[in-house]
mmCIF file of all heavy atoms in Angstrom:
data_model
loop_
_atom_site.group_PDB
_atom_site.id
_atom_site.type_symbol
_atom_site.label_atom_id
_atom_site.label_comp_id
_atom_site.label_asym_id
_atom_site.label_seq_id
_atom_site.Cartn_x
_atom_site.Cartn_y
_atom_site.Cartn_z
ATOM 1 N N GLY A 238 100.686 79.317 111.769
ATOM 2 C CA GLY A 238 100.980 78.968 110.387
ATOM 3 C C GLY A 238 99.748 78.390 109.737
ATOM 4 O O GLY A 238 98.627 78.792 110.034
ATOM 5 N N GLY A 239 99.968 77.418 108.856
ATOM 6 C CA GLY A 239 98.866 76.867 108.078
ATOM 7 C C GLY A 239 98.740 77.607 106.760
ATOM 8 O O GLY A 239 99.216 78.741 106.608
ATOM 9 N N THR A 240 98.118 76.947 105.788
ATOM 10 C CA THR A 240 97.931 77.623 104.501
ATOM 11 C C THR A 240 96.971 78.792 104.635
ATOM 12 O O THR A 240 96.840 79.598 103.716
ATOM 13 C CB THR A 240 97.446 76.635 103.422
ATOM 14 O OG1 THR A 240 96.281 75.938 103.877
ATOM 15 C CG2 THR A 240 98.545 75.616 103.103
ATOM 16 N N SER A 241 96.339 78.914 105.795
ATOM 17 C CA SER A 241 95.548 80.102 106.110
ATOM 18 C C SER A 241 96.427 81.348 106.153
ATOM 19 O O SER A 241 95.918 82.465 106.020
ATOM 20 C CB SER A 241 94.852 79.941 107.465
ATOM 21 O OG SER A 241 93.755 79.084 107.380
ATOM 22 N N ALA A 242 97.714 81.177 106.379
ATOM 23 C CA ALA A 242 98.624 82.322 106.336
ATOM 24 C C ALA A 242 99.106 82.594 104.915
ATOM 25 O O ALA A 242 99.456 83.729 104.575
ATOM 26 C CB ALA A 242 99.821 82.069 107.258
ATOM 27 N N ALA A 243 99.128 81.559 104.078
ATOM 28 C CA ALA A 243 99.629 81.718 102.709
ATOM 29 C C ALA A 243 98.639 82.456 101.811
ATOM 30 O O ALA A 243 99.035 83.287 100.989
ATOM 31 C CB ALA A 243 99.959 80.349 102.120
ATOM 32 N N ALA A 244 97.347 82.141 101.937
ATOM 33 C CA ALA A 244 96.345 82.777 101.061
ATOM 34 C C ALA A 244 96.280 84.291 101.261
ATOM 35 O O ALA A 244 96.371 85.050 100.285
ATOM 36 C CB ALA A 244 94.979 82.124 101.265
ATOM 37 N N PRO A 245 96.133 84.804 102.501
ATOM 38 C CA PRO A 245 96.118 86.266 102.652
ATOM 39 C C PRO A 245 97.463 86.908 102.332
ATOM 40 O O PRO A 245 97.515 88.091 101.974
ATOM 41 C CB PRO A 245 95.734 86.459 104.123
ATOM 42 C CG PRO A 245 96.097 85.175 104.801
ATOM 43 C CD PRO A 245 95.866 84.112 103.766
ATOM 44 N N ASN A 246 98.558 86.154 102.470
ATOM 45 C CA ASN A 246 99.874 86.660 102.074
ATOM 46 C C ASN A 246 99.859 87.010 100.587
ATOM 47 O O ASN A 246 100.252 88.116 100.172
ATOM 48 C CB ASN A 246 100.929 85.588 102.381
ATOM 49 C CG ASN A 246 102.363 86.043 102.127
ATOM 50 O OD1 ASN A 246 102.626 86.897 101.292
ATOM 51 N ND2 ASN A 246 103.307 85.438 102.844
ATOM 52 N N TRP A 247 99.400 86.081 99.753
ATOM 53 C CA TRP A 247 99.326 86.341 98.317
ATOM 54 C C TRP A 247 98.302 87.430 97.992
ATOM 55 O O TRP A 247 98.509 88.236 97.072
ATOM 56 C CB TRP A 247 99.007 85.051 97.560
ATOM 57 C CG TRP A 247 100.237 84.308 97.157
ATOM 58 C CD1 TRP A 247 100.900 83.358 97.866
ATOM 59 C CD2 TRP A 247 100.972 84.474 95.944
ATOM 60 N NE1 TRP A 247 102.010 82.917 97.179
ATOM 61 C CE2 TRP A 247 102.084 83.583 95.983
ATOM 62 C CE3 TRP A 247 100.812 85.280 94.813
ATOM 63 C CZ2 TRP A 247 103.011 83.484 94.949
ATOM 64 C CZ3 TRP A 247 101.752 85.185 93.777
ATOM 65 C CH2 TRP A 247 102.834 84.305 93.851
ATOM 66 N N ALA A 248 97.214 87.486 98.740
ATOM 67 C CA ALA A 248 96.212 88.540 98.513
ATOM 68 C C ALA A 248 96.803 89.913 98.808
ATOM 69 O O ALA A 248 96.582 90.881 98.062
ATOM 70 C CB ALA A 248 94.983 88.284 99.388
ATOM 71 N N ALA A 249 97.567 90.004 99.907
ATOM 72 C CA ALA A 249 98.202 91.272 100.256
ATOM 73 C C ALA A 249 99.232 91.677 99.212
ATOM 74 O O ALA A 249 99.335 92.857 98.836
ATOM 75 C CB ALA A 249 98.861 91.146 101.630
ATOM 76 N N PHE A 250 100.021 90.705 98.737
ATOM 77 C CA PHE A 250 100.985 91.005 97.678
ATOM 78 C C PHE A 250 100.273 91.493 96.418
ATOM 79 O O PHE A 250 100.745 92.397 95.732
ATOM 80 C CB PHE A 250 101.830 89.771 97.361
ATOM 81 C CG PHE A 250 102.726 89.946 96.167
ATOM 82 C CD1 PHE A 250 103.695 90.933 96.140
ATOM 83 C CD2 PHE A 250 102.582 89.135 95.049
ATOM 84 C CE1 PHE A 250 104.513 91.110 95.026
ATOM 85 C CE2 PHE A 250 103.395 89.296 93.937
ATOM 86 C CZ PHE A 250 104.364 90.296 93.923
ATOM 87 N N THR A 251 99.122 90.922 96.120
ATOM 88 C CA THR A 251 98.344 91.364 94.956
ATOM 89 C C THR A 251 97.891 92.808 95.128
ATOM 90 O O THR A 251 97.835 93.572 94.154
ATOM 91 C CB THR A 251 97.136 90.433 94.739
ATOM 92 O OG1 THR A 251 97.615 89.097 94.535
ATOM 93 C CG2 THR A 251 96.315 90.855 93.525
ATOM 94 N N ALA A 252 97.569 93.217 96.362
ATOM 95 C CA ALA A 252 97.197 94.610 96.604
ATOM 96 C C ALA A 252 98.364 95.538 96.296
ATOM 97 O O ALA A 252 98.184 96.623 95.713
ATOM 98 C CB ALA A 252 96.743 94.781 98.052
ATOM 99 N N ILE A 253 99.580 95.127 96.664
ATOM 100 C CA ILE A 253 100.765 95.916 96.327
ATOM 101 C C ILE A 253 100.961 95.951 94.816
ATOM 102 O O ILE A 253 101.240 97.005 94.224
ATOM 103 C CB ILE A 253 102.009 95.327 97.029
ATOM 104 C CG1 ILE A 253 101.911 95.552 98.533
ATOM 105 C CG2 ILE A 253 103.290 95.940 96.468
ATOM 106 C CD1 ILE A 253 103.040 94.938 99.330
ATOM 107 N N TYR A 254 100.811 94.792 94.182
ATOM 108 C CA TYR A 254 100.931 94.710 92.722
ATOM 109 C C TYR A 254 99.937 95.660 92.051
ATOM 110 O O TYR A 254 100.295 96.449 91.158
ATOM 111 C CB TYR A 254 100.668 93.269 92.280
ATOM 112 C CG TYR A 254 100.769 93.030 90.782
ATOM 113 C CD1 TYR A 254 101.870 92.377 90.237
ATOM 114 C CD2 TYR A 254 99.755 93.431 89.901
ATOM 115 C CE1 TYR A 254 101.965 92.138 88.868
ATOM 116 C CE2 TYR A 254 99.835 93.193 88.542
ATOM 117 C CZ TYR A 254 100.945 92.560 88.035
ATOM 118 O OH TYR A 254 101.009 92.329 86.673
ATOM 119 N N ASP A 255 98.685 95.590 92.451
ATOM 120 C CA ASP A 255 97.651 96.418 91.827
ATOM 121 C C ASP A 255 97.871 97.903 92.093
ATOM 122 O O ASP A 255 97.566 98.755 91.236
ATOM 123 C CB ASP A 255 96.265 95.995 92.332
ATOM 124 C CG ASP A 255 95.810 94.661 91.756
ATOM 125 O OD1 ASP A 255 96.522 94.095 90.906
ATOM 126 O OD2 ASP A 255 94.728 94.181 92.167
ATOM 127 N N ASP A 256 98.378 98.228 93.275
ATOM 128 C CA ASP A 256 98.706 99.615 93.612
ATOM 129 C C ASP A 256 99.760 100.153 92.646
ATOM 130 O O ASP A 256 99.605 101.234 92.051
ATOM 131 C CB ASP A 256 99.205 99.661 95.056
ATOM 132 C CG ASP A 256 99.504 101.074 95.543
ATOM 133 O OD1 ASP A 256 99.290 102.045 94.808
ATOM 134 O OD2 ASP A 256 99.972 101.190 96.705
ATOM 135 N N GLU A 257 100.835 99.399 92.454
ATOM 136 C CA GLU A 257 101.894 99.842 91.542
ATOM 137 C C GLU A 257 101.419 99.846 90.094
ATOM 138 O O GLU A 257 101.741 100.760 89.327
ATOM 139 C CB GLU A 257 103.128 98.946 91.684
ATOM 140 C CG GLU A 257 104.287 99.394 90.803
ATOM 141 C CD GLU A 257 105.592 98.683 91.117
ATOM 142 O OE1 GLU A 257 105.684 98.016 92.158
ATOM 143 O OE2 GLU A 257 106.543 98.822 90.299
ATOM 144 N N ALA A 258 100.637 98.830 89.716
ATOM 145 C CA ALA A 258 100.118 98.777 88.346
ATOM 146 C C ALA A 258 99.272 100.008 88.040
ATOM 147 O O ALA A 258 99.383 100.603 86.956
ATOM 148 C CB ALA A 258 99.293 97.511 88.149
ATOM 149 N N GLY A 259 98.438 100.402 88.997
ATOM 150 C CA GLY A 259 97.610 101.587 88.791
ATOM 151 C C GLY A 259 98.441 102.839 88.619
ATOM 152 O O GLY A 259 98.143 103.692 87.766
ATOM 153 N N ALA A 260 99.511 102.958 89.415
ATOM 154 C CA ALA A 260 100.373 104.137 89.319
ATOM 155 C C ALA A 260 101.101 104.195 87.986
ATOM 156 O O ALA A 260 101.422 105.285 87.478
ATOM 157 C CB ALA A 260 101.380 104.124 90.469
ATOM 158 N N LEU A 261 101.355 103.029 87.405
ATOM 159 C CA LEU A 261 102.074 102.953 86.126
ATOM 160 C C LEU A 261 101.137 102.852 84.926
ATOM 161 O O LEU A 261 101.592 102.677 83.790
ATOM 162 C CB LEU A 261 103.007 101.737 86.131
ATOM 163 C CG LEU A 261 104.116 101.727 87.190
ATOM 164 C CD1 LEU A 261 104.872 100.410 87.154
ATOM 165 C CD2 LEU A 261 105.065 102.902 86.981
ATOM 166 N N SER A 262 99.836 102.969 85.190
ATOM 167 C CA SER A 262 98.816 102.836 84.144
ATOM 168 C C SER A 262 98.901 101.485 83.443
ATOM 169 O O SER A 262 98.702 101.375 82.229
ATOM 170 C CB SER A 262 98.942 103.981 83.120
ATOM 171 O OG SER A 262 98.738 105.226 83.741
ATOM 172 N N LYS A 263 99.220 100.467 84.234
ATOM 173 C CA LYS A 263 99.285 99.099 83.725
ATOM 174 C C LYS A 263 98.059 98.309 84.206
ATOM 175 O O LYS A 263 97.380 98.714 85.145
ATOM 176 C CB LYS A 263 100.561 98.398 84.209
ATOM 177 C CG LYS A 263 101.858 99.051 83.765
ATOM 178 C CD LYS A 263 102.120 98.839 82.292
ATOM 179 C CE LYS A 263 103.469 99.372 81.854
ATOM 180 N NZ LYS A 263 104.601 98.615 82.413
ATOM 181 N N ALA A 264 97.804 97.192 83.559
ATOM 182 C CA ALA A 264 96.679 96.346 83.957
ATOM 183 C C ALA A 264 96.962 95.710 85.314
ATOM 184 O O ALA A 264 98.092 95.309 85.614
ATOM 185 C CB ALA A 264 96.441 95.255 82.920
ATOM 186 N N LYS A 265 95.929 95.603 86.129
ATOM 187 C CA LYS A 265 96.066 94.949 87.421
ATOM 188 C C LYS A 265 96.128 93.435 87.217
ATOM 189 O O LYS A 265 95.914 92.933 86.123
ATOM 190 C CB LYS A 265 94.928 95.367 88.338
ATOM 191 C CG LYS A 265 94.944 96.865 88.623
ATOM 192 C CD LYS A 265 93.902 97.300 89.641
ATOM 193 C CE LYS A 265 94.020 98.800 89.914
ATOM 194 N NZ LYS A 265 93.075 99.251 90.971
ATOM 195 N N LEU A 266 96.419 92.715 88.290
ATOM 196 C CA LEU A 266 96.645 91.282 88.153
ATOM 197 C C LEU A 266 95.410 90.563 87.620
ATOM 198 O O LEU A 266 95.499 89.684 86.767
ATOM 199 C CB LEU A 266 97.065 90.677 89.491
ATOM 200 C CG LEU A 266 97.661 89.271 89.416
ATOM 201 C CD1 LEU A 266 99.004 89.294 88.692
ATOM 202 C CD2 LEU A 266 97.828 88.681 90.813
ATOM 203 N N GLY A 267 94.218 90.922 88.107
ATOM 204 C CA GLY A 267 92.982 90.307 87.611
ATOM 205 C C GLY A 267 92.912 88.825 87.930
ATOM 206 O O GLY A 267 93.310 88.398 89.014
ATOM 207 N N PHE A 268 92.388 88.031 86.980
ATOM 208 C CA PHE A 268 92.304 86.583 87.179
ATOM 209 C C PHE A 268 93.719 86.068 87.378
ATOM 210 O O PHE A 268 94.509 85.980 86.444
ATOM 211 C CB PHE A 268 91.634 85.941 85.968
ATOM 212 C CG PHE A 268 91.646 84.436 85.983
ATOM 213 C CD1 PHE A 268 91.381 83.734 87.144
ATOM 214 C CD2 PHE A 268 91.914 83.724 84.826
ATOM 215 C CE1 PHE A 268 91.403 82.336 87.162
ATOM 216 C CE2 PHE A 268 91.925 82.331 84.824
ATOM 217 C CZ PHE A 268 91.677 81.644 85.999
ATOM 218 N N ALA A 269 94.048 85.722 88.629
ATOM 219 C CA ALA A 269 95.440 85.509 89.014
ATOM 220 C C ALA A 269 96.100 84.337 88.304
ATOM 221 O O ALA A 269 97.272 84.432 87.905
ATOM 222 C CB ALA A 269 95.539 85.334 90.527
ATOM 223 N N ASN A 270 95.414 83.225 88.144
ATOM 224 C CA ASN A 270 96.068 82.059 87.544
ATOM 225 C C ASN A 270 96.567 82.337 86.134
ATOM 226 O O ASN A 270 97.628 81.850 85.739
ATOM 227 C CB ASN A 270 95.117 80.862 87.543
ATOM 228 C CG ASN A 270 95.063 80.176 88.891
ATOM 229 O OD1 ASN A 270 95.935 80.381 89.727
ATOM 230 N ND2 ASN A 270 94.036 79.370 89.116
#
């Protein structure tokens, strides 16, 4: 565990987000905050 597991978890989810955004011709997440 550790927050070392949380950071790549969110990064991986962002990859899924960006993948779907690209398929829908939508903007990717970008500057996340």
Side-chain angles (χ1 to χ4, degrees):
T240 53
S241 284
N246 185 332
W247 270 90
F250 173 60
T251 301
I253 291 176
Y254 180 105
D255 287 356
D256 183 3
E257 183 169 347
L261 298 175
S262 298
K263 299 288 185 68
K265 298 186 178 184
L266 194 67
F268 173 42
N270 280 343

